Amino acid sequence: MVYDKAFVDRWLSEFSAEIIKSKEYLSELDAPIGDSDHGFNMARGVEAYQATIAKTPAKDCGDDFLKLAMAMISRVGGASGPLYGSAFLGMSKALKGKAEFNDADFATAVEEGLKAIQSRGHAREGEKTMVDVWGPVSKALKEGSLTSKQVEDFVQATKPLRATKGRASYLGERSVGHIDPGATSSGIFFKTFLDTK
C-alpha cells in the first residue's frame, strides 16, 4: 500500500483526537505507577502539534513527524516528551522529503523510531515501557502484517510485567498488574494508523 501526506495528516489528526479523548483514562493508568499525568501531558503535546500545522502545514510526510516531534519535546513533561519526541524524530528522518511511502518504508520508519526510543531511554522489551509496543509492532510490520488485535495484545501484555525502567520501577512488585500508560498511548498511535488505512 502507498501512503501520501494527506494520509499522514488524517492519521495524526485522528491520533491527536484519540489522545485528547483518552487523556483521563491514560492519566488514570499512570496513577498507580507514575505521576497521574501521562494523558494530560500527551494531550498538551498533540494540541501543540495541531496548532503548529494549522499555522504552518507540513511540507511532506517526514515534516509532519518532525512537527509532531518538536511539539512533544517542547510541550510534554516527564519522560514521555523526550521519548515520544525521539520516536517521531526517528520516523521523520526515515521519511524525510517523501511525498509518499509504502509499507516497507513505514516498517523502516517505525524501526528507526524504536531505535531512537531505546537510545534515549535504554529500555528493552519486557521492562514495562512503550518499547513493549514499538518492538513487537516493528517486528510485525517487517513480517508484513499488523492488526488492531495484535496491537491491543501488545498493550495488554504489559499488565503482568514488573517495571524495571522509569518511575514505575521504584514500585518493584507493586508495578505488576497495571497496564503501562506509555504502551497504551503507543497502542493508540498504531491503532489509529490501521484505522486510517
Side-chain angles (χ1 to χ4, degrees):
M1 189 165 167
V2 174
Y3 311 96
D4 59 12
K5 184 184 160 297
F7 170 88
V8 176
D9 289 339
R10 285 197 311 279
W11 168 25
L12 297 185
S13 176
E14 189 58 30
F15 169 60
S16 300
E18 281 299 314
I19 288 290
I20 292 163
K21 199 163 80 181
S22 307
K23 65 184 177 186
E24 280 90 1
Y25 172 62
L26 290 169
S27 293
E28 279 165 25
L29 288 180
D30 197 30
I33 57 174
D35 291 327
S36 311
D37 59 359
H38 181 67
F40 299 110
N41 280 339
M42 290 294 293
R44 264 204 307 277
V46 294
E47 282 163 355
Y49 161 73
Q50 294 286 10
T52 299
I53 58 163
K55 218 180 289 179
T56 316
K59 296 190 290 288
D60 54 54
C61 298
D63 192 39
D64 236 333
F65 285 102
L66 179 61
K67 284 177 162 48
L68 182 55
M70 292 299 110
M72 289 287 160
I73 290 165
S74 64
R75 298 303 301 273
V76 179
S80 301
L83 290 171
Y84 265 108
S86 296
F88 297 142
L89 269 179
M91 291 185 74
S92 79
K93 284 175 188 163
L95 299 172
K96 187 175 182 182
K98 289 186 185 289
E100 55 183 38
F101 57 95
N102 60 25
D103 286 317
D105 297 325
F106 183 61
T108 300
V110 171
E111 186 178 25
E112 290 305 311
L114 170 63
K115 283 182 193 164
I117 294 166
Q118 292 183 301
S119 173
R120 167 73 65 167
H122 310 293
R124 297 187 308 274
E125 283 180 53
E127 295 190 304
K128 203 182 186 90
T129 71
M130 64 197 289
V131 169
D132 291 307
V133 170
W134 283 75
V137 163
S138 179
K139 287 190 198 85
L141 289 170
K142 274 188 248 174
E143 285 158 14
S145 75
L146 182 68
T147 65
S148 284
K149 186 188 180 307
Q150 280 178 298
V151 175
E152 186 54 32
D153 288 347
F154 301 149
V155 172
Q156 293 296 326
T158 64
K159 192 171 186 174
L161 297 177
R162 180 179 184 271
T164 54
K165 276 281 181 295
R167 182 71 185 265
S169 65
Y170 303 148
L171 298 174
E173 287 302 323
R174 284 181 297 143
S175 65
V176 173
H178 300 285
I179 298 167
D180 182 69
T184 307
S185 54
S186 294
I188 292 171
F189 180 64
F190 292 113
K191 280 190 272 190
T192 52
F193 165 74
L194 293 168
D195 291 344
T196 307
K197 282 175 86 166

